[in-house]
């Protein structure tokens, strides 16, 4: 859990670069993808798509990653 918390904190501290942020989130997603349902996967990719379009912010995406973390750790 500590390792994932550190990764999430690194993402939070990143300067706003949508491409870099998306890449970091997808890296973190790799820790959950085997246990996650197809619905959770679709939700993450929907949230990321909305982020890339400017419809939500980094914090919203990170909140969903934290939700997955609590479910699977």
């Amino acid at each position: 859990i500590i390792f994932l918390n550190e990764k999430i904190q690194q993402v939070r501290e990143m300067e706003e670069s949508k491409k870099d942020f998306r890449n970091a989130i997808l890296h973190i997603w790799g820790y959950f993808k085997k246990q996650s349902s197809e619905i959770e996967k679709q939700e993450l990719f929907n949230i990321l798509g909305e982020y890339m379009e400017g419809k939500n912010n980094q914090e919203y995406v990170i909140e969903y990653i934290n939700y997955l973390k609590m479910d699977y750790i």
Side-chain angles (χ1 to χ4, degrees):
I1 291 179
I2 293 171
F3 176 74
L4 285 174
N5 284 340
E6 288 172 357
K7 287 288 186 187
I8 290 169
Q9 187 59 36
Q10 288 173 356
V11 170
R12 285 180 193 262
E13 293 171 357
M14 290 177 69
E15 287 187 34
E16 182 81 23
S17 165
K18 290 187 181 217
K19 182 179 174 185
D20 290 344
F21 178 78
R22 183 178 189 278
N23 186 49
I25 291 295
L26 291 176
H27 178 79
I28 293 170
W29 165 248
Y31 296 102
F32 301 106
K33 69 180 181 182
K34 290 183 181 177
Q35 301 126 330
S36 297
S37 69
E38 186 63 29
I39 292 170
E40 289 168 326
K41 176 183 177 181
Q42 283 300 320
E43 183 66 16
L44 176 64
F45 282 84
N46 287 341
I47 289 170
L48 268 178
E50 289 173 355
Y51 167 73
M52 296 300 286
E53 295 170 2
K55 295 179 181 175
N56 63 33
N57 58 30
Q58 286 184 356
E59 192 60 34
Y60 189 78
V61 179
I62 292 169
E63 284 178 20
Y64 189 70
I65 289 293
N66 278 324
Y67 159 76
L68 291 176
K69 181 185 77 174
M70 298 310 290
D71 256 9
Y72 293 104
I73 294 180

